[in-house]
């Protein structure tokens, strides 16, 4: 096996005295794990920070063997690691990919979404500039892994107009008229999820509650559940930045 590609660093686990197993998100070959010699040394530590873009050369004698990798820095996001909110966002976005995705399966749309999200965090450190992109990234990851939501029409009436909520049970959209009897038992559906663009602080927090519900229920279970602590830290920081409270993304049950 020989792969030469740009990649996003998504995770690093110590292996041996000085090396590490690095997880890299690639455009065409999906998530790739590889051993990097000297990964924890002075020269390589700043190269292998989560969120950095590297040029990687991965080699293995067989498909089942852990690849050996040589990496060179293409673009560093190290400066963002000194800012609590951008650092928390990069940590979460990359650890989610490293934990949830199966290795060596191509997800070009997810790579593009992760790259776009990291670029947005870099361009606008305030979550008001990239919060909507984070929600769309999480929802896309759910969809790519078979847990996508059905947001095209109302689960109860079939209408495609005025969709404002999502059933926490079925993952289907509900329009305003049909949602009224259920009160706050439904999850809010911010307009940017379907229409694109950015959202208000409240829209972003509502979107995070939506995606977080299904990530927790359907994907990040058992051994993957501990990484939700990174998401909780991020959501708490976004809540404080928004001025809407320390815990504005409370989960709710019930619904259609």
């Amino acid at each position: 096996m020989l792969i030469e590609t740009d990649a996003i660093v998504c995770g690093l686990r110590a292996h041996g005295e000085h090396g590490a197993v690095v997880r890299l998100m690639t455009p065409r070959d999906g998530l790739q794990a590889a051993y990097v010699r000297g990964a924890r040394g002075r020269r390589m530590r700043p190269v292998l920070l989560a969120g950095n873009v590297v040029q990687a050369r991965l080699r293995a004698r067989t498909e089942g063997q852990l690849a050996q990798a040589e990496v060179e820095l293409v673009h560093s996001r190290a400066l963002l690691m000194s800012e609590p909110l951008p650092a928390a966002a990069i940590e979460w976005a990359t650890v989610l990919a490293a934990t949830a995705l199966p290795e060596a399966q191509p997800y070009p749309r997810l790579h593009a979404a992760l790259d776009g999200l990291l670029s947005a965090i870099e361009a606008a450190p305030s979550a008001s500039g990239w919060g909507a992109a984070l929600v769309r990234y999480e929802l896309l990851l759910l969809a790519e892994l078979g847990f996508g939501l059905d947001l095209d029409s109302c689960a109860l009436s079939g209408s495609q107009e005025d969709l404002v909520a999502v059933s926490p049970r079925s993952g289907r959209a509900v329009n305003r008229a049909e949602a009224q009897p259920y009160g706050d038992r439904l999850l809010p559906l911010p307009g940017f999820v379907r229409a694109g663009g950015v959202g208000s602080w409240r829209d972003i927090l509502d979107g995070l509650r939506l995606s977080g519900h299904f990530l927790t229920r359907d994907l990040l279970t058992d051994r993957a559940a501990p990484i939700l602590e990174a998401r909780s830290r991020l959501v708490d920081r976004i809540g404080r930045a928004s001025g809407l409270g320390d815990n504005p993304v409370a989960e709710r049950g019930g619904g259609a």
Side-chain angles (χ1 to χ4, degrees), residues 84-85 87-89 91-92 95 226-241 246:
L85 185 50
E91 176 193 12
W92 166 246
V95 77
I227 74 164
L228 286 168
E229 294 179 7
R231 190 179 193 274
S232 294
R233 290 193 295 271
L234 171 60
V235 171
D236 285 345
R237 286 183 172 133
I238 293 175
R240 289 194 292 271
D246 291 339

Side-chain angles (χ1 to χ4, degrees), residues 83-228:
E83 300 291 335
L85 185 50
I90 292 172
E91 176 193 12
W92 166 246
T94 53
V95 77
L96 176 60
T99 302
L101 296 180
E103 292 183 3
Q105 299 296 314
Y107 292 100
R109 294 176 64 205
L110 265 178
H111 176 274
L114 177 57
D115 185 56
L117 171 60
L118 295 173
S119 296
I121 295 169
E122 191 171 17
S126 170
S128 61
W130 48 260
L134 172 61
V135 173
R136 286 192 289 266
Y137 167 67
E138 291 182 338
L139 291 174
L140 176 62
L141 187 141
L142 281 164
E144 292 283 280
L145 293 178
F147 300 103
L149 309 187
D150 182 353
L151 306 178
D152 292 332
S153 60
C154 176
L156 300 175
S157 69
S159 170
Q160 298 179 340
E161 303 298 326
D162 204 19
L163 302 176
V164 298
V166 175
S167 165
R169 293 178 181 173
S170 68
R172 296 191 62 188
V174 182
N175 70 8
R176 191 179 306 275
E178 299 291 348
Q180 286 181 352
Y182 296 99
D184 62 4
R185 288 182 292 165
L186 300 176
L187 296 164
L189 175 60
F192 71 78
V193 171
R194 300 181 74 242
V198 298
S200 67
W201 281 114
R202 174 48 63 192
D203 289 337
I204 291 167
L205 291 166
D206 283 346
L208 289 169
R209 183 151 72 90
L210 174 66
S211 56
H213 172 82
F214 293 101
L215 283 172
T216 302
R217 190 192 74 175
D218 297 330
L219 190 60
L220 301 179
T221 59
D222 301 328
R223 288 182 297 174
I227 74 164
L228 286 168

